[in-house]
Amino acid sequence: MRSADARLARGAALGIALLAGCSGTISPFRRHAVVGRDPYLVFVGDGPGGRSDLFAVRGDGGPVFQVTFTPVAEFSPALSPDGAMLAFLRARSAADSAPGAAWVMNLLNGAERELPLPAGAAPPERVGWSGDGRTIWVRAGGELWRLAAPPAPPVPRRAAPGERARADSSFGVYLGDPPFTRVVTCDGALCAQGDTGAPAPFAPDGRDPARWGGDSVGYLSGDALMVRSLGPGRPRRVEWSGTPPHPRSLTYFPGHE
């Protein structure tokens, strides 16, 4: 069993190395959505063998399609503000069940690049984008790292004290422009938390929220995909099909005309 696991791990490492050296030629969204124009959702689900892969669906629903096909697990996707790139975390080997490195994928052609952290840095936990899409923030242990988005070289540096608030906000779900409310989990529900006052529940069985346009939030209720505005009204259900087991970790691009 140990020798089989070792062969599998070596195969996974080779697969990732080949991906890293590949320029990419085919968009994973081909025939499903126009990258940077159509609205779409990317999320984590259980792929073949039970490992986590990245999947996507159009913002108006329909069939789910797979985005990553590596033999290792992927986690915590984050779409860039223009919808053209996807940052995420990836395990180092097929034997790992936790993230080991941050990556970014060009959704126009499928090309991938690892976002290396300095030697000795803690494993990455979250990735997020700056508002202009030029910076990728990586949270690793108690550190926040700043890396330039492609095509610039991804040279990591620690976030300056004045940048930490912006970095932290990239990992949260904020609504409004300028933001006036943060979506948080409270007592097993999703709540809206303003600058003052107590959190206000709006989805008693909701989980895995994502900003869905300016003043709306998408979330999961069981395995159902729901969207609602924080204003008056009821949530609506987005009908999707072919959903993988255990969907989670949503990130959404609202589209651009």
Side-chain angles (χ1 to χ4, degrees):
M1 181 63 71
R2 289 183 179 178
S3 60
D5 289 343
R7 287 195 299 271
L8 185 60
R10 287 195 297 270
L14 176 60
I16 292 174
L18 291 173
L19 280 169
C22 180
S23 61
T25 57
I26 299 176
S27 168
F29 283 55
R30 186 171 62 107
R31 299 178 181 161
H32 298 286
V34 177
V35 171
R37 187 196 73 183
D38 297 333
Y40 36 80
L41 175 79
V42 177
F43 63 99
V44 176
D46 288 351
R51 68 176 183 275
S52 58
D53 283 302
L54 302 183
F55 297 82
V57 67
R58 289 177 56 93
D60 55 0
V64 170
F65 55 96
Q66 195 163 345
V67 175
T68 59
F69 295 86
T70 64
V72 295
E74 281 102 11
F75 317 82
S76 303
L79 283 161
S80 62
D82 65 359
M85 288 187 283
L86 179 68
F88 59 96
L89 304 181
R90 174 175 277 158
R92 285 292 187 189
S93 75
D96 294 335
S97 58
W103 288 71
V104 63
M105 175 190 292
N106 184 329
L107 296 180
L108 292 168
N109 59 17
E112 294 186 350
R113 173 193 286 180
E114 185 174 358
L115 302 172
L117 297 182
E125 300 165 356
R126 291 291 301 273
V127 288
W129 291 86
S130 63
D132 60 9
R134 297 179 180 178
T135 298
I136 300 173
W137 301 104
V138 179
R139 185 168 68 196
E143 298 281 2
L144 288 171
W145 298 94
R146 174 177 183 156
L147 299 98
V155 179
R157 70 170 179 82
R158 284 184 174 87
E163 296 174 322
R164 294 188 68 88
R166 279 180 290 163
D168 283 332
S169 68
S170 74
F171 307 129
V173 179
Y174 290 84
L175 303 184
D177 188 16
F180 62 89
T181 298
R182 182 181 183 185
V183 179
V184 297
T185 300
C186 56
D187 297 327
L190 292 181
C191 296
Q193 174 69 69
D195 292 336
T196 61
F202 67 88
D205 57 351
R207 61 180 178 87
D208 293 272
R211 179 183 169 106
W212 200 281
D215 64 351
S216 296
V217 58
Y219 60 93
L220 294 172
S221 178
D223 287 349
L225 176 58
M226 311 297 294
V227 178
R228 70 157 295 166
S229 167
L230 292 188
R234 298 175 60 85
R236 64 180 177 88
R237 180 167 178 160
V238 178
E239 299 295 340
W240 56 1
S241 61
T243 314
H246 306 119
R248 56 200 183 272
S249 300
L250 312 183
T251 180
Y252 181 69
F253 172 65
H256 180 73
E257 294 296 335

